[in-house]
Every structure is written in structure tokens, then in C-alpha cells.
Amino acid sequence: MSSAEDYIPSEAKIEQESLYGEDVKNLAENEEITNMVVDAVDEYDSRYTGQIGDWLDETNGIWALSDWAFHSCLNDTATQSEKSKGANEPDTWERAKTGTTQFYRQVNQKAANQYAVQTSKDVPFRYTPLLSDGVEEPEIASARAKKMNLLAKWSMKRDKFNRKSLDFATQIHKYGNIPVSVEWCQKRKKVTQEVPVFDPNNPGVITEYKQVVSEKVSENRPVLTILPVESVRADINIGCIQDQDCVEVITLVGMTDIVAGIESGEYRANLIEDIDKSHQWDGHAGFENKNDKTLNHGGSSTNSTGTGRYLKREVFINLPIDEDKEKWDERKNIPKRFRVTMFGNQPTDSVVARIERNQEPDDAIPIEMIHCNPDDSDLLYHISSFEVIRSNIATETTLIRQAIDNNTLRNKPPMWEVTGNMLRGTGGQNDREFGPDQRFVVEDPHGIGDRKSTRLNSSHLVISYAVFCLKKK
């Protein structure tokens, strides 16, 4: 029985219609230019992969840890790696596996507030006509503004804007930095209509109906996409996306998406002939922290291959290409922004589907990095909410684990001792070292207290974590 990875219609006949017209050249069929583009993309990709890898190493995998904290810190492997930021208890102690919902509650509260404000009206903005004498009649200007408001409302509903708003609010407060893209979606479809045929001698009489096939625009609207934080690769030392020389957007797509791109004219017509199983996603490339997310969900490491998915690179890159002459010349041609689409795990192993001049207005990159806590404008990633409370979360998970006795399953809250109070541990004279099942004997019952019930002051000498007992008089 065949599987999803076998569904490659290499011999299928695909009809192609161009969305942009004949004035947009796809240079992906030019082998010389394609090889130069692949080398350029691979150079940027290698540099960006190294930058992000070093940054994640320095932050101990900040994206995976943000996801860990959001899932109540139940991944014990991540908890152990974070304990150095908390109380740093000895490795020999047995610990109860507990977590904390602190970050989860914080993210959801902020996301709920943002979503409530953003969706308090059907459309969070409104077109208003600017009237000026001699330019346009007020009635015409008002009618145009009303039409634009209706179009905006319809587009947002069609794009499921409310659901995407909730997704964005959660992700931005969870990770602190989220890339979003806004592109224009235009779809065409063939429509068959019955058209009446009139009698030439008697125009009012219909003699027959004939079927006429025509192509019409079925959708023509903007589309908002909330991208995973790890899916956009760029220079982390350049804060503004629009100032980047190269930006990669990595996503996973199926064969139906590839065929749709060929049919719409976005990809070269003979693309399907060059795609095989070697271009399918290997389960790792581009999404290195996917395994961490699975573990944070309480799952185990799984093999993601064999799904029939393809890793797609959408690259916005400045290249020294003269598209009219189809010539690459680094000395004569001023670099212009091109859009490159590739399918494959690594740039050098990919099949190139598109190389064309960027069609976005003002030659812009249709992506922006949104920050929850604007910080250093010269850096791509700003400080996240998790980084602010990271030590608090590590301390809370560590101290709770210290305070629970695995033998009795009883909570041992932090205790305080007043200066001068006679105290000794059962482990030896004046033994105040805390450990599992450690017990202490005190002379004065008022010389100790539960930290939860009494505030500490300057006379409190020691904080221990134990079950106390009083010496009988």
C-alpha cells in the first residue's frame, strides 16, 4: 500500500494560468542563474543558522523554555536544566515532579485582555472620507468610504481575523517576538454559464442556450499569517526586517499546495518533473525545536518523516540580476530584491520553483517582526516576558520540589528561626543542614514560625525547609 510520501504526480498534466501577466519573468528555468541564486541563498542560510544556533545556546534554548514554562514546567529534563537559575538544590535529593502555572496564567491573562480590546468592534479601524472643496462630491466620497468599510469587514471575516487575533495574542506574549506576514491573495476559477442565443430575425426570441466557460476572480483580498517564531531566518543584528539583504521564511506544505502554485503561474510549469522523495521534509531541518515542543506537551520524541510534506523556503533576497537580459553580474548590476521559492531540506539540495522580481508594493518584504516588549531597536529579537520572570519560575519549581517529602507526600514549608533560639537537628548537635526527612528540636515554641503565616524581619536568622517538632519540657 502506498503512503503519503509516494503521491508525486510527475506525469500529470497541469494547466497553468498566470496571476501576474506576461510582464513578470520567472528565471528559475535559467540554469546558470539558478545555480548562482542557490549558492547565494545557501551562504545566507549557513550564516543565519550559525547566528541563531549560537544565540539559542547562549540563552539555553529560550524558545523551547518559553514553551516549557507555558506548559506548566512539566518537562522534567528542562526543569533540571533550569534549576541553576533557582535554588540550585543538590542533585542527590529526591524531588517530587511539580510544576508551576505562573507563566501560563500570565500569558493567558495578557492575551485575553488584548483579544477583548481588539475584538470589541467588528472592525478595529474605519475609513473616513476627507472632504475638500472642488475635489470630490461629499456623497461620492462617503459612498466610497462606506464601500471600503464593507470590504474590510468582509475580508477580515473571510480571513478568520478573530481566530488569528487570539492566536497572535497568545504567541506574542508567550515568545515575546512573533513574525507576521500580510500578502494579497488572488484566486481565479473557471465558471460555466448558460448564455441565451437569440434569433437573428427576431431578437426577442431565444432559440437555444449554449455553455460558455469563462475565468473569474473568486477571491481578491489581503491575508494575514501568524508565523512560528523559528520560521523566519534573518540577521539577528539587524532590527528592521526591511533593512535585511536576505530573509527566509520556512514552512511545510503538501503536494496539493505545490500543484496549486504551478496552476496559478507562481511556479515554473515543469517543476513537478524535478521533484522526488529526496525533497521531502526529513523531520528535522528548519524546525530544530519541534522535538522540544513534543516533550513539553508530555509526548515522546517521534519520527516526523514519511508525512509527504515538503520544506518550503520563501526567500526575499537582493541579487545582482538584470531580469530583462537574464544576466547575473555583480560588477555592473545594482542588486534588486527578488523572490525565490525552493523546496528541499537544504538550499543546495533544493529544487527551485521561482526566481522573480519582488511584486510587493514599494519593493517591501511582506513580513514584520512584532515585539511584545520593545527593547533594543538594533536587534531582531527583543526581551520576552519569559526572560523577565525566568528566575522566578526556576525558583518556584525548585523550592516547591524541595518542600515536598516524597516519602510522606507532605508539604514542608519554609520556616524561620529567631536569633538566640536553641535549635538542633536530629542529625547531630546544631545540625541545621536540610535534607529529606530531617527533623529539628527547639526549646521555645515561639522561636520558630511558618513563613507563609508570619512575615520575616531582621531578627530572623535562618530559613530552613523542614518539619519541626517541639522538645517536651
Side-chain angles (χ1 to χ4, degrees), residues 280-389:
Q280 293 179 354
W281 185 46
D282 61 7
H284 177 75
F287 296 90
E288 287 78 6
N289 65 336
K290 188 177 180 65
N291 186 53
D292 293 322
K293 290 183 178 180
T294 302
L295 295 175
N296 291 335
H297 275 275
S300 58
S301 179
T302 57
N303 187 356
S304 299
T305 59
T307 60
R309 308 291 283 176
Y310 295 82
L311 190 142
K312 171 185 173 183
R313 275 184 172 81
E314 203 73 59
V315 187
F316 298 87
I317 180 172
N318 293 335
L319 299 171
I321 298 177
D322 185 332
E323 65 269 26
D324 295 327
K325 298 180 181 179
E326 298 189 15
K327 186 69 175 179
W328 176 294
D329 195 323
E330 299 175 1
R331 298 176 63 87
K332 294 182 178 180
N333 297 333
I334 298 175
K336 298 178 182 178
R337 183 164 290 159
F338 282 77
R339 182 167 186 162
V340 180
T341 305
M342 334 171 62
F343 296 97
N345 293 295
Q346 303 298 329
T348 52
D349 302 328
S350 297
V351 56
V352 180
R354 164 169 58 180
I355 303 173
E356 65 183 27
R357 278 284 284 125
N358 183 30
Q359 299 300 307
E360 295 298 318
D362 300 324
D363 207 16
I365 299 175
I367 302 166
E368 289 294 344
M369 184 70 74
I370 309 300
H371 310 287
C372 177
N373 306 297
D375 186 18
D376 298 312
S377 59
D378 58 332
L379 298 177
L380 185 62
Y381 301 115
H382 295 191
I383 189 170
S384 66
S385 297
F386 171 72
E387 292 176 272
V388 175
I389 64 171

Side-chain angles (χ1 to χ4, degrees), residues 225-262:
T225 303
I226 313 299
L227 298 167
V229 63
E230 69 273 17
S231 67
V232 172
R233 295 187 176 185
D235 193 324
I236 64 175
N237 297 308
I238 300 177
C240 180
I241 287 287
Q242 303 304 323
D243 293 338
Q244 301 271 354
D245 286 329
C246 178
V247 175
E248 291 182 88
V249 182
I250 299 176
T251 56
L252 296 177
V253 299
M255 178 55 67
T256 54
D257 299 297
I258 297 176
V259 172
I262 298 174

Side-chain angles (χ1 to χ4, degrees), residues 61-76:
I62 190 67
W63 294 334
L65 288 175
S66 297
D67 187 66
W68 160 77
F70 185 75
H71 287 88
S72 302
C73 309
L74 297 181
N75 179 357
D76 195 56

Side-chain angles (χ1 to χ4, degrees), residues 41-51 248 347:
V41 172
D42 182 61
E43 183 178 345
Y44 278 109
D45 182 77
S46 299
R47 178 153 61 92
Y48 294 164
T49 300
Q51 281 187 348
E248 291 182 88

